[in-house]
Short mmCIF file of all heavy atoms in Angstrom, two decimals:
data_model
loop_
_atom_site.label_atom_id
_atom_site.label_comp_id
_atom_site.label_asym_id
_atom_site.label_seq_id
_atom_site.Cartn_x
_atom_site.Cartn_y
_atom_site.Cartn_z
N VAL A 1 0.84 -1.20 0.00
CA VAL A 1 0.00 0.00 0.00
C VAL A 1 0.88 1.25 0.00
O VAL A 1 0.62 2.21 -0.75
CB VAL A 1 -0.98 -0.01 1.20
CG1 VAL A 1 -1.64 1.34 1.38
CG2 VAL A 1 -2.02 -1.11 1.02
N LEU A 2 1.92 1.25 0.82
CA LEU A 2 2.83 2.40 0.85
C LEU A 2 3.53 2.59 -0.49
O LEU A 2 3.73 3.73 -0.94
CB LEU A 2 3.86 2.24 1.97
CG LEU A 2 3.30 2.32 3.39
CD1 LEU A 2 4.38 1.98 4.42
CD2 LEU A 2 2.67 3.68 3.66
N LEU A 3 3.89 1.50 -1.15
CA LEU A 3 4.51 1.59 -2.48
C LEU A 3 3.55 2.20 -3.50
O LEU A 3 3.95 3.03 -4.32
CB LEU A 3 4.99 0.22 -2.95
CG LEU A 3 6.25 -0.31 -2.28
CD1 LEU A 3 6.46 -1.79 -2.62
CD2 LEU A 3 7.46 0.51 -2.70
N PHE A 4 2.29 1.78 -3.44
CA PHE A 4 1.29 2.36 -4.37
C PHE A 4 1.13 3.86 -4.11
O PHE A 4 1.07 4.66 -5.05
CB PHE A 4 -0.06 1.65 -4.25
CG PHE A 4 -0.08 0.27 -4.85
CD1 PHE A 4 -0.40 -0.82 -4.07
CD2 PHE A 4 0.24 0.06 -6.17
CE1 PHE A 4 -0.40 -2.10 -4.61
CE2 PHE A 4 0.24 -1.21 -6.73
CZ PHE A 4 -0.08 -2.30 -5.94
N MET A 5 1.08 4.22 -2.85
CA MET A 5 0.95 5.64 -2.52
C MET A 5 2.18 6.42 -2.98
O MET A 5 2.06 7.52 -3.53
CB MET A 5 0.72 5.81 -1.02
CG MET A 5 -0.63 5.31 -0.57
SD MET A 5 -0.87 5.21 1.23
CE MET A 5 -0.33 6.78 1.80
N ALA A 6 3.36 5.82 -2.81
CA ALA A 6 4.60 6.49 -3.20
C ALA A 6 4.68 6.70 -4.70
O ALA A 6 5.06 7.79 -5.16
CB ALA A 6 5.81 5.69 -2.71
N ILE A 7 4.29 5.70 -5.49
CA ILE A 7 4.39 5.86 -6.94
C ILE A 7 3.35 6.86 -7.44
O ILE A 7 3.61 7.62 -8.38
CB ILE A 7 4.31 4.51 -7.70
CG1 ILE A 7 4.81 4.68 -9.15
CG2 ILE A 7 2.92 3.93 -7.68
CD1 ILE A 7 6.23 5.08 -9.31
N LEU A 8 2.18 6.90 -6.82
CA LEU A 8 1.19 7.90 -7.20
C LEU A 8 1.68 9.30 -6.84
O LEU A 8 1.50 10.24 -7.62
CB LEU A 8 -0.16 7.60 -6.55
CG LEU A 8 -0.91 6.41 -7.14
CD1 LEU A 8 -2.14 6.09 -6.29
CD2 LEU A 8 -1.30 6.66 -8.59
N LEU A 9 2.30 9.45 -5.69
CA LEU A 9 2.88 10.73 -5.30
C LEU A 9 3.99 11.13 -6.28
O LEU A 9 4.04 12.28 -6.73
CB LEU A 9 3.43 10.66 -3.87
CG LEU A 9 4.11 11.92 -3.35
CD1 LEU A 9 3.11 13.08 -3.26
CD2 LEU A 9 4.73 11.65 -1.98
N TYR A 10 4.85 10.18 -6.62
CA TYR A 10 5.92 10.46 -7.57
C TYR A 10 5.36 10.89 -8.93
O TYR A 10 5.84 11.84 -9.53
CB TYR A 10 6.83 9.23 -7.72
CG TYR A 10 8.04 9.48 -8.57
CD1 TYR A 10 9.07 10.30 -8.12
CD2 TYR A 10 8.16 8.90 -9.83
CE1 TYR A 10 10.18 10.54 -8.90
CE2 TYR A 10 9.28 9.14 -10.61
CZ TYR A 10 10.28 9.96 -10.14
OH TYR A 10 11.39 10.20 -10.92
N LEU A 11 4.33 10.17 -9.38
CA LEU A 11 3.70 10.55 -10.65
C LEU A 11 3.11 11.95 -10.54
O LEU A 11 3.24 12.76 -11.47
CB LEU A 11 2.61 9.55 -11.05
CG LEU A 11 1.84 9.88 -12.32
CD1 LEU A 11 2.77 9.98 -13.53
CD2 LEU A 11 0.75 8.84 -12.56
N GLY A 12 2.47 12.25 -9.43
CA GLY A 12 1.91 13.59 -9.23
C GLY A 12 2.98 14.67 -9.28
O GLY A 12 2.78 15.74 -9.88
N ILE A 13 4.13 14.39 -8.69
CA ILE A 13 5.23 15.35 -8.71
C ILE A 13 5.78 15.52 -10.12
O ILE A 13 6.10 16.64 -10.55
CB ILE A 13 6.34 14.91 -7.73
CG1 ILE A 13 5.85 15.04 -6.28
CG2 ILE A 13 7.63 15.69 -7.94
CD1 ILE A 13 6.74 14.34 -5.26
N GLN A 14 5.86 14.44 -10.86
CA GLN A 14 6.45 14.47 -12.20
C GLN A 14 5.45 14.82 -13.30
O GLN A 14 5.86 15.05 -14.45
CB GLN A 14 7.10 13.12 -12.53
CG GLN A 14 8.26 12.75 -11.65
CD GLN A 14 9.46 13.66 -11.89
OE1 GLN A 14 9.51 14.45 -12.82
NE2 GLN A 14 10.44 13.56 -11.02
N TRP A 15 4.15 14.85 -12.99
CA TRP A 15 3.12 15.00 -14.01
C TRP A 15 3.37 16.21 -14.93
O TRP A 15 3.27 16.08 -16.15
CB TRP A 15 1.74 15.09 -13.36
CG TRP A 15 0.64 15.05 -14.37
CD1 TRP A 15 -0.07 16.10 -14.86
CD2 TRP A 15 0.15 13.89 -15.04
NE1 TRP A 15 -0.99 15.67 -15.78
CE2 TRP A 15 -0.87 14.31 -15.91
CE3 TRP A 15 0.47 12.54 -14.99
CZ2 TRP A 15 -1.58 13.43 -16.72
CZ3 TRP A 15 -0.23 11.66 -15.79
CH2 TRP A 15 -1.24 12.11 -16.65
N SER A 16 3.66 17.35 -14.36
CA SER A 16 3.85 18.55 -15.19
C SER A 16 5.11 18.46 -16.04
O SER A 16 5.21 19.11 -17.08
CB SER A 16 3.88 19.81 -14.33
OG SER A 16 4.97 19.76 -13.44
N ALA A 17 6.08 17.64 -15.64
CA ALA A 17 7.31 17.48 -16.41
C ALA A 17 7.16 16.45 -17.53
O ALA A 17 7.98 16.41 -18.46
CB ALA A 17 8.46 17.07 -15.49
N LEU A 18 6.10 15.61 -17.45
CA LEU A 18 5.88 14.61 -18.50
C LEU A 18 5.51 15.31 -19.80
O LEU A 18 4.63 16.17 -19.81
CB LEU A 18 4.76 13.64 -18.12
CG LEU A 18 5.09 12.52 -17.16
CD1 LEU A 18 3.79 11.84 -16.71
CD2 LEU A 18 6.00 11.50 -17.80
N PRO A 19 6.15 14.93 -20.91
CA PRO A 19 5.72 15.50 -22.19
C PRO A 19 4.32 14.99 -22.53
O PRO A 19 3.88 13.96 -22.02
CB PRO A 19 6.77 14.98 -23.18
CG PRO A 19 7.51 13.91 -22.50
CD PRO A 19 7.28 14.03 -21.03
N SER A 20 3.62 15.71 -23.39
CA SER A 20 2.25 15.29 -23.75
C SER A 20 2.27 13.98 -24.51
O SER A 20 1.31 13.22 -24.46
CB SER A 20 1.55 16.39 -24.55
OG SER A 20 2.28 16.66 -25.73
N GLU A 21 3.35 13.70 -25.21
CA GLU A 21 3.50 12.43 -25.93
C GLU A 21 4.72 11.71 -25.36
O GLU A 21 5.82 12.28 -25.34
CB GLU A 21 3.66 12.67 -27.43
CG GLU A 21 3.58 11.41 -28.24
CD GLU A 21 3.56 11.69 -29.73
OE1 GLU A 21 4.61 12.07 -30.27
OE2 GLU A 21 2.50 11.49 -30.34
N ILE A 22 4.51 10.50 -24.89
CA ILE A 22 5.59 9.76 -24.25
C ILE A 22 5.80 8.42 -24.96
O ILE A 22 4.88 7.89 -25.59
CB ILE A 22 5.30 9.51 -22.75
CG1 ILE A 22 4.04 8.66 -22.58
CG2 ILE A 22 5.20 10.81 -21.99
CD1 ILE A 22 3.80 8.19 -21.18
N PRO A 23 7.01 7.87 -24.84
CA PRO A 23 7.24 6.54 -25.42
C PRO A 23 6.48 5.48 -24.62
O PRO A 23 6.55 5.47 -23.39
CB PRO A 23 8.75 6.35 -25.32
CG PRO A 23 9.20 7.31 -24.27
CD PRO A 23 8.21 8.43 -24.23
N ILE A 24 5.74 4.64 -25.33
CA ILE A 24 4.98 3.59 -24.63
C ILE A 24 5.39 2.19 -25.09
O ILE A 24 4.92 1.20 -24.55
CB ILE A 24 3.46 3.78 -24.78
CG1 ILE A 24 3.02 3.67 -26.23
CG2 ILE A 24 3.01 5.08 -24.15
CD1 ILE A 24 1.52 3.60 -26.43
N HIS A 25 6.24 2.13 -26.11
CA HIS A 25 6.73 0.82 -26.56
C HIS A 25 8.18 0.98 -26.99
O HIS A 25 8.55 2.00 -27.55
CB HIS A 25 5.89 0.29 -27.73
CG HIS A 25 6.19 -1.14 -28.04
ND1 HIS A 25 7.14 -1.50 -28.97
CD2 HIS A 25 5.69 -2.28 -27.53
CE1 HIS A 25 7.20 -2.83 -29.02
NE2 HIS A 25 6.33 -3.32 -28.15
N PHE A 26 8.96 -0.05 -26.70
CA PHE A 26 10.38 -0.01 -27.00
C PHE A 26 10.78 -1.28 -27.73
O PHE A 26 10.24 -2.35 -27.46
CB PHE A 26 11.18 0.11 -25.69
CG PHE A 26 10.86 1.35 -24.91
CD1 PHE A 26 9.75 1.40 -24.07
CD2 PHE A 26 11.64 2.47 -25.01
CE1 PHE A 26 9.43 2.54 -23.35
CE2 PHE A 26 11.34 3.63 -24.31
CZ PHE A 26 10.23 3.67 -23.47
N ASP A 27 11.72 -1.14 -28.69
CA ASP A 27 12.20 -2.33 -29.40
C ASP A 27 13.21 -3.09 -28.54
O ASP A 27 13.47 -2.70 -27.39
CB ASP A 27 12.78 -1.96 -30.77
CG ASP A 27 14.04 -1.09 -30.69
OD1 ASP A 27 14.67 -1.04 -29.62
OD2 ASP A 27 14.39 -0.48 -31.72
N GLU A 28 13.76 -4.16 -29.09
CA GLU A 28 14.66 -5.01 -28.31
C GLU A 28 15.95 -4.31 -27.89
O GLU A 28 16.63 -4.75 -26.97
CB GLU A 28 14.99 -6.30 -29.08
CG GLU A 28 15.75 -6.09 -30.38
CD GLU A 28 14.87 -5.68 -31.57
OE1 GLU A 28 13.64 -5.68 -31.47
OE2 GLU A 28 15.45 -5.36 -32.60
N THR A 29 16.29 -3.21 -28.53
CA THR A 29 17.49 -2.46 -28.15
C THR A 29 17.18 -1.37 -27.12
O THR A 29 18.07 -0.68 -26.66
CB THR A 29 18.16 -1.81 -29.38
OG1 THR A 29 17.28 -0.83 -29.93
CG2 THR A 29 18.51 -2.85 -30.42
N GLY A 30 15.91 -1.19 -26.79
CA GLY A 30 15.52 -0.16 -25.83
C GLY A 30 15.12 1.16 -26.47
O GLY A 30 14.81 2.12 -25.76
N LYS A 31 15.11 1.20 -27.79
CA LYS A 31 14.74 2.43 -28.50
C LYS A 31 13.21 2.52 -28.61
O LYS A 31 12.54 1.55 -28.95
CB LYS A 31 15.37 2.43 -29.90
CG LYS A 31 15.11 3.71 -30.66
CD LYS A 31 15.78 3.67 -32.01
CE LYS A 31 15.41 4.95 -32.76
NZ LYS A 31 15.80 4.88 -34.16
N ALA A 32 12.69 3.70 -28.30
CA ALA A 32 11.24 3.90 -28.37
C ALA A 32 10.76 3.74 -29.81
O ALA A 32 11.33 4.30 -30.74
CB ALA A 32 10.87 5.28 -27.85
N ASP A 33 9.70 2.94 -29.99
CA ASP A 33 9.11 2.78 -31.32
C ASP A 33 7.59 2.87 -31.30
O ASP A 33 6.92 2.55 -32.26
CB ASP A 33 9.57 1.47 -31.97
CG ASP A 33 9.11 0.23 -31.22
OD1 ASP A 33 8.46 0.37 -30.16
OD2 ASP A 33 9.41 -0.88 -31.68
N GLY A 34 7.03 3.34 -30.18
CA GLY A 34 5.60 3.57 -30.07
C GLY A 34 5.36 4.73 -29.11
O GLY A 34 6.08 4.88 -28.12
N TRP A 35 4.36 5.54 -29.38
CA TRP A 35 4.13 6.75 -28.61
C TRP A 35 2.67 6.84 -28.20
O TRP A 35 1.78 6.31 -28.88
CB TRP A 35 4.53 7.98 -29.42
CG TRP A 35 5.96 7.92 -29.83
CD1 TRP A 35 6.47 7.31 -30.95
CD2 TRP A 35 7.08 8.43 -29.10
NE1 TRP A 35 7.84 7.41 -30.95
CE2 TRP A 35 8.24 8.10 -29.84
CE3 TRP A 35 7.23 9.13 -27.91
CZ2 TRP A 35 9.51 8.44 -29.43
CZ3 TRP A 35 8.49 9.48 -27.51
CH2 TRP A 35 9.62 9.14 -28.25
N GLY A 36 2.42 7.50 -27.07
CA GLY A 36 1.06 7.69 -26.59
C GLY A 36 1.00 8.87 -25.65
O GLY A 36 2.01 9.53 -25.37
N GLY A 37 -0.19 9.13 -25.12
CA GLY A 37 -0.38 10.23 -24.20
C GLY A 37 0.19 9.94 -22.82
O GLY A 37 0.40 8.79 -22.45
N LYS A 38 0.44 10.99 -22.06
CA LYS A 38 1.04 10.81 -20.73
C LYS A 38 0.11 10.10 -19.75
O LYS A 38 0.56 9.55 -18.76
CB LYS A 38 1.56 12.12 -20.17
CG LYS A 38 0.54 13.19 -19.84
CD LYS A 38 1.27 14.42 -19.33
CE LYS A 38 0.36 15.52 -18.91
NZ LYS A 38 1.13 16.66 -18.38
N GLY A 39 -1.17 10.08 -20.05
CA GLY A 39 -2.11 9.33 -19.21
C GLY A 39 -1.82 7.84 -19.20
O GLY A 39 -2.29 7.12 -18.31
N PHE A 40 -1.04 7.36 -20.17
CA PHE A 40 -0.66 5.95 -20.21
C PHE A 40 0.09 5.54 -18.95
O PHE A 40 0.07 4.37 -18.56
CB PHE A 40 0.18 5.66 -21.46
CG PHE A 40 0.43 4.20 -21.70
CD1 PHE A 40 -0.56 3.39 -22.23
CD2 PHE A 40 1.66 3.65 -21.39
CE1 PHE A 40 -0.33 2.04 -22.44
CE2 PHE A 40 1.90 2.30 -21.59
CZ PHE A 40 0.90 1.49 -22.13
#
């Protein structure tokens, strides 16, 4: 429960820094190859 609260707090702190479009899928080398909204 504390971990869930901590990650939600961290997301809240970082929310304004998140770009509107974020990488949501990565290839086998770790390079982003899919994009979506920050709500993901």
Side-chain angles (χ1 to χ4, degrees):
V1 168
L2 292 173
L3 285 168
F4 287 122
M5 291 170 49
I7 195 63
L8 288 172
L9 178 63
Y10 186 70
L11 177 60
I13 291 167
Q14 296 292 350
W15 188 259
S16 62
L18 280 169
S20 59
E21 190 173 72
I22 62 171
I24 63 169
H25 191 268
F26 300 83
D27 66 18
E28 64 279 353
T29 65
K31 184 178 176 191
D33 64 358
W35 302 87
K38 66 182 183 178
F40 189 77

